[in-house]
Amino acid sequence: MKIIIQHSSMTPIYEQLVEQIKRAIIEGELQENDVLPSVRALAKELKISALTVKKAYDALDQEGMIATVHGKGSFVCGVNPSLKREEQLKAIQDEFEGVVRKARLVGMSDKELMELLELILEGL
């Protein structure tokens, strides 16, 4: 699992960790029962605070993406297929929202945007 921290990002580091680990689980890079690096090991590898990694692991634990067993480590939980689909749909929605914002910034009307989408769909 490769994690890239963008220190210049406005997104807090722990949220970057949560999103990247969650994506790795949903995309199948991390499988059920895989062991995650220890809090200290991941903090050392990424050169960040262990508290930041712990906060990310706690958030993933609360979401049911991982389970932490005291003294044993953190393990990937099974991913519900509907959750996987929901995450994929959310990512697509976020991308669409970004495109719509860009289109409005350059003055495209909703009608022009819809026509462009229809052209793209016809070409695929």
Side-chain angles (χ1 to χ4, degrees):
M1 170 180 67
K2 184 171 179 148
I3 295 177
I4 299 170
I5 299 299
Q6 296 177 347
H7 294 281
S8 60
S9 172
M10 295 300 291
T11 306
I13 292 173
Y14 87 93
E15 285 182 16
Q16 293 179 47
L17 280 173
V18 168
E19 289 306 311
Q20 291 182 53
I21 294 170
K22 191 187 298 187
R23 185 177 326 115
I25 293 169
I26 289 170
E27 292 177 356
E29 182 183 337
L30 290 173
Q31 300 290 320
E32 185 173 358
N33 297 320
D34 281 354
V35 180
L36 294 176
S38 72
V39 168
R40 287 190 182 119
L42 188 57
K44 184 177 180 181
E45 178 184 330
L46 298 175
K47 297 178 177 65
I48 60 175
S49 167
L51 292 173
T52 301
V53 176
K54 177 148 179 24
K55 186 173 183 177
Y57 278 16
D58 287 347
L60 289 163
D61 205 341
Q62 285 182 335
E63 289 184 41
M65 300 295 286
I66 68 170
T68 301
V69 179
H70 188 70
K72 300 259 187 208
S74 297
F75 303 86
V76 175
C77 293
V79 178
N80 180 338
S82 65
L83 173 65
K84 184 175 182 176
R85 174 124 172 99
E86 187 63 33
E87 286 289 330
Q88 291 169 333
L89 291 175
K90 171 86 171 81
I92 292 168
Q93 178 180 338
D94 290 346
E95 287 183 45
F96 268 127
E97 288 173 359
V99 169
V100 170
R101 274 196 284 295
K102 286 179 185 176
R104 288 192 173 143
L105 281 174
V106 299
M108 284 183 78
S109 69
D110 289 352
K111 183 179 180 196
E112 290 172 314
L113 191 56
M114 292 298 288
E115 288 171 356
L116 179 58
L117 180 58
E118 287 172 3
L119 284 172
I120 292 169
L121 290 171
E122 288 173 9
L124 295 179

PDB file of all heavy atoms in Angstrom, residues 85-118:
ATOM      1  N   ARG A  85     -19.964   0.144  -3.912  1.00  0.00           N
ATOM      2  CA  ARG A  85     -20.661   0.851  -4.989  1.00  0.00           C
ATOM      3  C   ARG A  85     -20.984   2.284  -4.577  1.00  0.00           C
ATOM      4  O   ARG A  85     -20.827   3.209  -5.367  1.00  0.00           O
ATOM      5  CB  ARG A  85     -21.949   0.101  -5.349  1.00  0.00           C
ATOM      6  CG  ARG A  85     -22.817   0.824  -6.352  1.00  0.00           C
ATOM      7  CD  ARG A  85     -23.096  -0.021  -7.557  1.00  0.00           C
ATOM      8  NE  ARG A  85     -24.074   0.587  -8.419  1.00  0.00           N
ATOM      9  CZ  ARG A  85     -23.760   1.277  -9.515  1.00  0.00           C
ATOM     10  NH1 ARG A  85     -22.509   1.401  -9.866  1.00  0.00           N
ATOM     11  NH2 ARG A  85     -24.691   1.811 -10.264  1.00  0.00           N
ATOM     12  N   GLU A  86     -21.420   2.467  -3.341  1.00  0.00           N
ATOM     13  CA  GLU A  86     -21.748   3.799  -2.850  1.00  0.00           C
ATOM     14  C   GLU A  86     -20.517   4.706  -2.888  1.00  0.00           C
ATOM     15  O   GLU A  86     -20.606   5.867  -3.283  1.00  0.00           O
ATOM     16  CB  GLU A  86     -22.306   3.714  -1.426  1.00  0.00           C
ATOM     17  CG  GLU A  86     -22.826   5.016  -0.883  1.00  0.00           C
ATOM     18  CD  GLU A  86     -24.007   5.585  -1.650  1.00  0.00           C
ATOM     19  OE1 GLU A  86     -24.828   4.815  -2.171  1.00  0.00           O
ATOM     20  OE2 GLU A  86     -24.098   6.823  -1.743  1.00  0.00           O
ATOM     21  N   GLU A  87     -19.374   4.188  -2.495  1.00  0.00           N
ATOM     22  CA  GLU A  87     -18.136   4.964  -2.523  1.00  0.00           C
ATOM     23  C   GLU A  87     -17.768   5.337  -3.963  1.00  0.00           C
ATOM     24  O   GLU A  87     -17.328   6.449  -4.226  1.00  0.00           O
ATOM     25  CB  GLU A  87     -16.990   4.185  -1.874  1.00  0.00           C
ATOM     26  CG  GLU A  87     -17.080   4.118  -0.380  1.00  0.00           C
ATOM     27  CD  GLU A  87     -16.807   5.449   0.304  1.00  0.00           C
ATOM     28  OE1 GLU A  87     -16.027   6.264  -0.227  1.00  0.00           O
ATOM     29  OE2 GLU A  87     -17.387   5.673   1.380  1.00  0.00           O
ATOM     30  N   GLN A  88     -17.945   4.396  -4.887  1.00  0.00           N
ATOM     31  CA  GLN A  88     -17.650   4.668  -6.287  1.00  0.00           C
ATOM     32  C   GLN A  88     -18.584   5.748  -6.829  1.00  0.00           C
ATOM     33  O   GLN A  88     -18.149   6.660  -7.540  1.00  0.00           O
ATOM     34  CB  GLN A  88     -17.767   3.391  -7.121  1.00  0.00           C
ATOM     35  CG  GLN A  88     -16.674   2.390  -6.812  1.00  0.00           C
ATOM     36  CD  GLN A  88     -16.933   1.022  -7.424  1.00  0.00           C
ATOM     37  OE1 GLN A  88     -18.074   0.638  -7.649  1.00  0.00           O
ATOM     38  NE2 GLN A  88     -15.863   0.290  -7.677  1.00  0.00           N
ATOM     39  N   LEU A  89     -19.867   5.665  -6.498  1.00  0.00           N
ATOM     40  CA  LEU A  89     -20.829   6.668  -6.953  1.00  0.00           C
ATOM     41  C   LEU A  89     -20.508   8.039  -6.363  1.00  0.00           C
ATOM     42  O   LEU A  89     -20.618   9.059  -7.047  1.00  0.00           O
ATOM     43  CB  LEU A  89     -22.256   6.251  -6.581  1.00  0.00           C
ATOM     44  CG  LEU A  89     -22.807   5.035  -7.330  1.00  0.00           C
ATOM     45  CD1 LEU A  89     -24.176   4.644  -6.785  1.00  0.00           C
ATOM     46  CD2 LEU A  89     -22.874   5.296  -8.820  1.00  0.00           C
ATOM     47  N   LYS A  90     -20.085   8.076  -5.120  1.00  0.00           N
ATOM     48  CA  LYS A  90     -19.710   9.337  -4.474  1.00  0.00           C
ATOM     49  C   LYS A  90     -18.521   9.962  -5.188  1.00  0.00           C
ATOM     50  O   LYS A  90     -18.493  11.175  -5.423  1.00  0.00           O
ATOM     51  CB  LYS A  90     -19.390   9.084  -3.001  1.00  0.00           C
ATOM     52  CG  LYS A  90     -18.785  10.257  -2.257  1.00  0.00           C
ATOM     53  CD  LYS A  90     -19.845  11.171  -1.712  1.00  0.00           C
ATOM     54  CE  LYS A  90     -19.274  12.227  -0.791  1.00  0.00           C
ATOM     55  NZ  LYS A  90     -18.682  13.361  -1.453  1.00  0.00           N
ATOM     56  N   ALA A  91     -17.543   9.153  -5.554  1.00  0.00           N
ATOM     57  CA  ALA A  91     -16.364   9.668  -6.266  1.00  0.00           C
ATOM     58  C   ALA A  91     -16.757  10.251  -7.617  1.00  0.00           C
ATOM     59  O   ALA A  91     -16.274  11.317  -8.012  1.00  0.00           O
ATOM     60  CB  ALA A  91     -15.328   8.561  -6.437  1.00  0.00           C
ATOM     61  N   ILE A  92     -17.652   9.571  -8.314  1.00  0.00           N
ATOM     62  CA  ILE A  92     -18.127  10.071  -9.612  1.00  0.00           C
ATOM     63  C   ILE A  92     -18.888  11.371  -9.421  1.00  0.00           C
ATOM     64  O   ILE A  92     -18.700  12.333 -10.182  1.00  0.00           O
ATOM     65  CB  ILE A  92     -18.990   9.002 -10.321  1.00  0.00           C
ATOM     66  CG1 ILE A  92     -18.108   7.820 -10.730  1.00  0.00           C
ATOM     67  CG2 ILE A  92     -19.715   9.596 -11.529  1.00  0.00           C
ATOM     68  CD1 ILE A  92     -18.881   6.593 -11.170  1.00  0.00           C
ATOM     69  N   GLN A  93     -19.741  11.427  -8.415  1.00  0.00           N
ATOM     70  CA  GLN A  93     -20.502  12.644  -8.137  1.00  0.00           C
ATOM     71  C   GLN A  93     -19.556  13.811  -7.854  1.00  0.00           C
ATOM     72  O   GLN A  93     -19.762  14.921  -8.347  1.00  0.00           O
ATOM     73  CB  GLN A  93     -21.439  12.437  -6.951  1.00  0.00           C
ATOM     74  CG  GLN A  93     -22.227  13.684  -6.594  1.00  0.00           C
ATOM     75  CD  GLN A  93     -23.151  13.471  -5.417  1.00  0.00           C
ATOM     76  OE1 GLN A  93     -23.531  12.350  -5.101  1.00  0.00           O
ATOM     77  NE2 GLN A  93     -23.509  14.544  -4.753  1.00  0.00           N
ATOM     78  N   ASP A  94     -18.509  13.561  -7.062  1.00  0.00           N
ATOM     79  CA  ASP A  94     -17.543  14.617  -6.749  1.00  0.00           C
ATOM     80  C   ASP A  94     -16.869  15.136  -8.014  1.00  0.00           C
ATOM     81  O   ASP A  94     -16.669  16.343  -8.175  1.00  0.00           O
ATOM     82  CB  ASP A  94     -16.490  14.110  -5.763  1.00  0.00           C
ATOM     83  CG  ASP A  94     -17.048  13.866  -4.368  1.00  0.00           C
ATOM     84  OD1 ASP A  94     -18.168  14.335  -4.074  1.00  0.00           O
ATOM     85  OD2 ASP A  94     -16.353  13.190  -3.577  1.00  0.00           O
ATOM     86  N   GLU A  95     -16.529  14.211  -8.920  1.00  0.00           N
ATOM     87  CA  GLU A  95     -15.901  14.622 -10.178  1.00  0.00           C
ATOM     88  C   GLU A  95     -16.865  15.447 -11.026  1.00  0.00           C
ATOM     89  O   GLU A  95     -16.479  16.463 -11.606  1.00  0.00           O
ATOM     90  CB  GLU A  95     -15.409  13.403 -10.954  1.00  0.00           C
ATOM     91  CG  GLU A  95     -14.182  12.763 -10.334  1.00  0.00           C
ATOM     92  CD  GLU A  95     -13.650  11.604 -11.155  1.00  0.00           C
ATOM     93  OE1 GLU A  95     -13.557  11.734 -12.392  1.00  0.00           O
ATOM     94  OE2 GLU A  95     -13.307  10.571 -10.543  1.00  0.00           O
ATOM     95  N   PHE A  96     -18.116  15.011 -11.105  1.00  0.00           N
ATOM     96  CA  PHE A  96     -19.123  15.772 -11.860  1.00  0.00           C
ATOM     97  C   PHE A  96     -19.282  17.188 -11.285  1.00  0.00           C
ATOM     98  O   PHE A  96     -19.371  18.159 -12.030  1.00  0.00           O
ATOM     99  CB  PHE A  96     -20.486  15.069 -11.839  1.00  0.00           C
ATOM    100  CG  PHE A  96     -20.711  14.140 -12.996  1.00  0.00           C
ATOM    101  CD1 PHE A  96     -21.094  12.822 -12.770  1.00  0.00           C
ATOM    102  CD2 PHE A  96     -20.577  14.560 -14.314  1.00  0.00           C
ATOM    103  CE1 PHE A  96     -21.307  11.948 -13.825  1.00  0.00           C
ATOM    104  CE2 PHE A  96     -20.805  13.705 -15.372  1.00  0.00           C
ATOM    105  CZ  PHE A  96     -21.165  12.391 -15.133  1.00  0.00           C
ATOM    106  N   GLU A  97     -19.337  17.281  -9.966  1.00  0.00           N
ATOM    107  CA  GLU A  97     -19.481  18.595  -9.334  1.00  0.00           C
ATOM    108  C   GLU A  97     -18.311  19.504  -9.695  1.00  0.00           C
ATOM    109  O   GLU A  97     -18.509  20.692  -9.967  1.00  0.00           O
ATOM    110  CB  GLU A  97     -19.620  18.446  -7.822  1.00  0.00           C
ATOM    111  CG  GLU A  97     -20.968  17.886  -7.413  1.00  0.00           C
ATOM    112  CD  GLU A  97     -21.074  17.580  -5.920  1.00  0.00           C
ATOM    113  OE1 GLU A  97     -20.087  17.785  -5.166  1.00  0.00           O
ATOM    114  OE2 GLU A  97     -22.154  17.126  -5.502  1.00  0.00           O
ATOM    115  N   GLY A  98     -17.112  18.951  -9.720  1.00  0.00           N
ATOM    116  CA  GLY A  98     -15.939  19.731 -10.103  1.00  0.00           C
ATOM    117  C   GLY A  98     -16.034  20.217 -11.545  1.00  0.00           C
ATOM    118  O   GLY A  98     -15.716  21.371 -11.849  1.00  0.00           O
ATOM    119  N   VAL A  99     -16.492  19.344 -12.440  1.00  0.00           N
ATOM    120  CA  VAL A  99     -16.646  19.704 -13.850  1.00  0.00           C
ATOM    121  C   VAL A  99     -17.708  20.788 -14.009  1.00  0.00           C
ATOM    122  O   VAL A  99     -17.517  21.753 -14.762  1.00  0.00           O
ATOM    123  CB  VAL A  99     -16.991  18.455 -14.698  1.00  0.00           C
ATOM    124  CG1 VAL A  99     -17.417  18.837 -16.097  1.00  0.00           C
ATOM    125  CG2 VAL A  99     -15.803  17.509 -14.742  1.00  0.00           C
ATOM    126  N   VAL A 100     -18.812  20.649 -13.311  1.00  0.00           N
ATOM    127  CA  VAL A 100     -19.885  21.653 -13.402  1.00  0.00           C
ATOM    128  C   VAL A 100     -19.382  23.006 -12.905  1.00  0.00           C
ATOM    129  O   VAL A 100     -19.645  24.042 -13.517  1.00  0.00           O
ATOM    130  CB  VAL A 100     -21.150  21.192 -12.635  1.00  0.00           C
ATOM    131  CG1 VAL A 100     -22.160  22.323 -12.514  1.00  0.00           C
ATOM    132  CG2 VAL A 100     -21.768  19.979 -13.322  1.00  0.00           C
ATOM    133  N   ARG A 101     -18.633  23.012 -11.804  1.00  0.00           N
ATOM    134  CA  ARG A 101     -18.083  24.273 -11.296  1.00  0.00           C
ATOM    135  C   ARG A 101     -17.168  24.927 -12.335  1.00  0.00           C
ATOM    136  O   ARG A 101     -17.252  26.134 -12.577  1.00  0.00           O
ATOM    137  CB  ARG A 101     -17.302  24.041  -9.998  1.00  0.00           C
ATOM    138  CG  ARG A 101     -18.180  24.059  -8.767  1.00  0.00           C
ATOM    139  CD  ARG A 101     -17.393  24.226  -7.475  1.00  0.00           C
ATOM    140  NE  ARG A 101     -16.678  23.073  -6.969  1.00  0.00           N
ATOM    141  CZ  ARG A 101     -17.234  21.949  -6.542  1.00  0.00           C
ATOM    142  NH1 ARG A 101     -18.532  21.788  -6.600  1.00  0.00           N
ATOM    143  NH2 ARG A 101     -16.505  20.975  -6.065  1.00  0.00           N
ATOM    144  N   LYS A 102     -16.303  24.117 -12.966  1.00  0.00           N
ATOM    145  CA  LYS A 102     -15.399  24.649 -13.990  1.00  0.00           C
ATOM    146  C   LYS A 102     -16.188  25.196 -15.173  1.00  0.00           C
ATOM    147  O   LYS A 102     -15.868  26.257 -15.711  1.00  0.00           O
ATOM    148  CB  LYS A 102     -14.430  23.566 -14.473  1.00  0.00           C
ATOM    149  CG  LYS A 102     -13.344  23.244 -13.493  1.00  0.00           C
ATOM    150  CD  LYS A 102     -12.433  22.152 -14.036  1.00  0.00           C
ATOM    151  CE  LYS A 102     -11.410  21.732 -13.011  1.00  0.00           C
ATOM    152  NZ  LYS A 102     -10.583  20.626 -13.487  1.00  0.00           N
ATOM    153  N   ALA A 103     -17.214  24.457 -15.575  1.00  0.00           N
ATOM    154  CA  ALA A 103     -18.035  24.893 -16.714  1.00  0.00           C
ATOM    155  C   ALA A 103     -18.714  26.223 -16.411  1.00  0.00           C
ATOM    156  O   ALA A 103     -18.772  27.112 -17.264  1.00  0.00           O
ATOM    157  CB  ALA A 103     -19.077  23.825 -17.046  1.00  0.00           C
ATOM    158  N   ARG A 104     -19.208  26.374 -15.213  1.00  0.00           N
ATOM    159  CA  ARG A 104     -19.874  27.634 -14.838  1.00  0.00           C
ATOM    160  C   ARG A 104     -18.879  28.786 -14.752  1.00  0.00           C
ATOM    161  O   ARG A 104     -19.217  29.923 -15.071  1.00  0.00           O
ATOM    162  CB  ARG A 104     -20.634  27.458 -13.530  1.00  0.00           C
ATOM    163  CG  ARG A 104     -21.868  26.589 -13.744  1.00  0.00           C
ATOM    164  CD  ARG A 104     -22.808  26.617 -12.580  1.00  0.00           C
ATOM    165  NE  ARG A 104     -24.031  25.893 -12.926  1.00  0.00           N
ATOM    166  CZ  ARG A 104     -24.698  25.142 -12.086  1.00  0.00           C
ATOM    167  NH1 ARG A 104     -24.280  25.013 -10.841  1.00  0.00           N
ATOM    168  NH2 ARG A 104     -25.791  24.521 -12.473  1.00  0.00           N
ATOM    169  N   LEU A 105     -17.648  28.471 -14.343  1.00  0.00           N
ATOM    170  CA  LEU A 105     -16.618  29.518 -14.274  1.00  0.00           C
ATOM    171  C   LEU A 105     -16.294  30.088 -15.650  1.00  0.00           C
ATOM    172  O   LEU A 105     -15.954  31.263 -15.772  1.00  0.00           O
ATOM    173  CB  LEU A 105     -15.336  28.974 -13.640  1.00  0.00           C
ATOM    174  CG  LEU A 105     -15.336  28.853 -12.121  1.00  0.00           C
ATOM    175  CD1 LEU A 105     -14.064  28.163 -11.638  1.00  0.00           C
ATOM    176  CD2 LEU A 105     -15.464  30.217 -11.462  1.00  0.00           C
ATOM    177  N   VAL A 106     -16.383  29.236 -16.681  1.00  0.00           N
ATOM    178  CA  VAL A 106     -16.099  29.720 -18.035  1.00  0.00           C
ATOM    179  C   VAL A 106     -17.368  30.180 -18.750  1.00  0.00           C
ATOM    180  O   VAL A 106     -17.334  30.500 -19.930  1.00  0.00           O
ATOM    181  CB  VAL A 106     -15.341  28.667 -18.886  1.00  0.00           C
ATOM    182  CG1 VAL A 106     -14.005  28.336 -18.255  1.00  0.00           C
ATOM    183  CG2 VAL A 106     -16.166  27.419 -19.101  1.00  0.00           C
ATOM    184  N   GLY A 107     -18.487  30.195 -18.031  1.00  0.00           N
ATOM    185  CA  GLY A 107     -19.717  30.752 -18.574  1.00  0.00           C
ATOM    186  C   GLY A 107     -20.605  29.796 -19.343  1.00  0.00           C
ATOM    187  O   GLY A 107     -21.525  30.236 -20.045  1.00  0.00           O
ATOM    188  N   MET A 108     -20.390  28.490 -19.210  1.00  0.00           N
ATOM    189  CA  MET A 108     -21.262  27.527 -19.895  1.00  0.00           C
ATOM    190  C   MET A 108     -22.623  27.487 -19.217  1.00  0.00           C
ATOM    191  O   MET A 108     -22.718  27.485 -17.992  1.00  0.00           O
ATOM    192  CB  MET A 108     -20.664  26.118 -19.872  1.00  0.00           C
ATOM    193  CG  MET A 108     -19.532  25.891 -20.840  1.00  0.00           C
ATOM    194  SD  MET A 108     -18.938  24.178 -20.793  1.00  0.00           S
ATOM    195  CE  MET A 108     -20.199  23.362 -21.751  1.00  0.00           C
ATOM    196  N   SER A 109     -23.656  27.415 -20.029  1.00  0.00           N
ATOM    197  CA  SER A 109     -25.007  27.269 -19.489  1.00  0.00           C
ATOM    198  C   SER A 109     -25.249  25.796 -19.171  1.00  0.00           C
ATOM    199  O   SER A 109     -24.522  24.915 -19.650  1.00  0.00           O
ATOM    200  CB  SER A 109     -26.038  27.759 -20.503  1.00  0.00           C
ATOM    201  OG  SER A 109     -26.087  26.878 -21.616  1.00  0.00           O
ATOM    202  N   ASP A 110     -26.289  25.539 -18.401  1.00  0.00           N
ATOM    203  CA  ASP A 110     -26.646  24.153 -18.097  1.00  0.00           C
ATOM    204  C   ASP A 110     -26.978  23.406 -19.385  1.00  0.00           C
ATOM    205  O   ASP A 110     -26.629  22.229 -19.541  1.00  0.00           O
ATOM    206  CB  ASP A 110     -27.828  24.098 -17.125  1.00  0.00           C
ATOM    207  CG  ASP A 110     -27.445  24.538 -15.720  1.00  0.00           C
ATOM    208  OD1 ASP A 110     -26.239  24.742 -15.456  1.00  0.00           O
ATOM    209  OD2 ASP A 110     -28.353  24.678 -14.878  1.00  0.00           O
ATOM    210  N   LYS A 111     -27.648  24.091 -20.311  1.00  0.00           N
ATOM    211  CA  LYS A 111     -28.021  23.463 -21.581  1.00  0.00           C
ATOM    212  C   LYS A 111     -26.770  23.079 -22.368  1.00  0.00           C
ATOM    213  O   LYS A 111     -26.684  21.960 -22.888  1.00  0.00           O
ATOM    214  CB  LYS A 111     -28.891  24.412 -22.404  1.00  0.00           C
ATOM    215  CG  LYS A 111     -29.372  23.799 -23.698  1.00  0.00           C
ATOM    216  CD  LYS A 111     -30.253  24.745 -24.487  1.00  0.00           C
ATOM    217  CE  LYS A 111     -30.673  24.016 -25.769  1.00  0.00           C
ATOM    218  NZ  LYS A 111     -31.194  24.895 -26.761  1.00  0.00           N
ATOM    219  N   GLU A 112     -25.778  23.962 -22.423  1.00  0.00           N
ATOM    220  CA  GLU A 112     -24.534  23.653 -23.135  1.00  0.00           C
ATOM    221  C   GLU A 112     -23.805  22.478 -22.476  1.00  0.00           C
ATOM    222  O   GLU A 112     -23.265  21.614 -23.156  1.00  0.00           O
ATOM    223  CB  GLU A 112     -23.607  24.880 -23.150  1.00  0.00           C
ATOM    224  CG  GLU A 112     -24.074  26.011 -24.017  1.00  0.00           C
ATOM    225  CD  GLU A 112     -23.221  27.248 -23.847  1.00  0.00           C
ATOM    226  OE1 GLU A 112     -22.916  27.628 -22.693  1.00  0.00           O
ATOM    227  OE2 GLU A 112     -22.867  27.843 -24.894  1.00  0.00           O
ATOM    228  N   LEU A 113     -23.830  22.467 -21.169  1.00  0.00           N
ATOM    229  CA  LEU A 113     -23.178  21.388 -20.433  1.00  0.00           C
ATOM    230  C   LEU A 113     -23.868  20.048 -20.718  1.00  0.00           C
ATOM    231  O   LEU A 113     -23.205  19.035 -20.944  1.00  0.00           O
ATOM    232  CB  LEU A 113     -23.193  21.708 -18.938  1.00  0.00           C
ATOM    233  CG  LEU A 113     -22.338  20.839 -18.026  1.00  0.00           C
ATOM    234  CD1 LEU A 113     -20.894  20.832 -18.448  1.00  0.00           C
ATOM    235  CD2 LEU A 113     -22.457  21.322 -16.595  1.00  0.00           C
ATOM    236  N   MET A 114     -25.186  20.053 -20.736  1.00  0.00           N
ATOM    237  CA  MET A 114     -25.947  18.826 -21.029  1.00  0.00           C
ATOM    238  C   MET A 114     -25.678  18.354 -22.456  1.00  0.00           C
ATOM    239  O   MET A 114     -25.518  17.151 -22.699  1.00  0.00           O
ATOM    240  CB  MET A 114     -27.450  19.060 -20.824  1.00  0.00           C
ATOM    241  CG  MET A 114     -27.844  19.280 -19.373  1.00  0.00           C
ATOM    242  SD  MET A 114     -27.501  17.867 -18.323  1.00  0.00           S
ATOM    243  CE  MET A 114     -28.766  16.758 -18.876  1.00  0.00           C
ATOM    244  N   GLU A 115     -25.623  19.294 -23.398  1.00  0.00           N
ATOM    245  CA  GLU A 115     -25.338  18.934 -24.796  1.00  0.00           C
ATOM    246  C   GLU A 115     -23.948  18.320 -24.904  1.00  0.00           C
ATOM    247  O   GLU A 115     -23.753  17.331 -25.629  1.00  0.00           O
ATOM    248  CB  GLU A 115     -25.455  20.162 -25.701  1.00  0.00           C
ATOM    249  CG  GLU A 115     -26.885  20.624 -25.903  1.00  0.00           C
ATOM    250  CD  GLU A 115     -26.989  21.967 -26.625  1.00  0.00           C
ATOM    251  OE1 GLU A 115     -25.942  22.605 -26.913  1.00  0.00           O
ATOM    252  OE2 GLU A 115     -28.128  22.390 -26.893  1.00  0.00           O
ATOM    253  N   LEU A 116     -22.988  18.878 -24.198  1.00  0.00           N
ATOM    254  CA  LEU A 116     -21.634  18.342 -24.216  1.00  0.00           C
ATOM    255  C   LEU A 116     -21.612  16.925 -23.631  1.00  0.00           C
ATOM    256  O   LEU A 116     -20.989  16.022 -24.191  1.00  0.00           O
ATOM    257  CB  LEU A 116     -20.690  19.261 -23.438  1.00  0.00           C
ATOM    258  CG  LEU A 116     -19.235  18.820 -23.360  1.00  0.00           C
ATOM    259  CD1 LEU A 116     -18.632  18.666 -24.750  1.00  0.00           C
ATOM    260  CD2 LEU A 116     -18.431  19.800 -22.524  1.00  0.00           C
ATOM    261  N   LEU A 117     -22.309  16.730 -22.527  1.00  0.00           N
ATOM    262  CA  LEU A 117     -22.377  15.404 -21.919  1.00  0.00           C
ATOM    263  C   LEU A 117     -23.003  14.392 -22.878  1.00  0.00           C
ATOM    264  O   LEU A 117     -22.519  13.268 -23.029  1.00  0.00           O
ATOM    265  CB  LEU A 117     -23.156  15.438 -20.610  1.00  0.00           C
ATOM    266  CG  LEU A 117     -23.312  14.109 -19.875  1.00  0.00           C
ATOM    267  CD1 LEU A 117     -21.957  13.499 -19.549  1.00  0.00           C
ATOM    268  CD2 LEU A 117     -24.144  14.286 -18.616  1.00  0.00           C
ATOM    269  N   GLU A 118     -24.082  14.802 -23.570  1.00  0.00           N
ATOM    270  CA  GLU A 118     -24.725  13.907 -24.527  1.00  0.00           C
ATOM    271  C   GLU A 118     -23.775  13.532 -25.661  1.00  0.00           C
ATOM    272  O   GLU A 118     -23.721  12.368 -26.091  1.00  0.00           O
ATOM    273  CB  GLU A 118     -25.998  14.551 -25.074  1.00  0.00           C
ATOM    274  CG  GLU A 118     -27.129  14.580 -24.059  1.00  0.00           C
ATOM    275  CD  GLU A 118     -28.338  15.394 -24.534  1.00  0.00           C
ATOM    276  OE1 GLU A 118     -28.338  15.894 -25.677  1.00  0.00           O
ATOM    277  OE2 GLU A 118     -29.291  15.513 -23.731  1.00  0.00           O
TER     278      GLU A 118
END
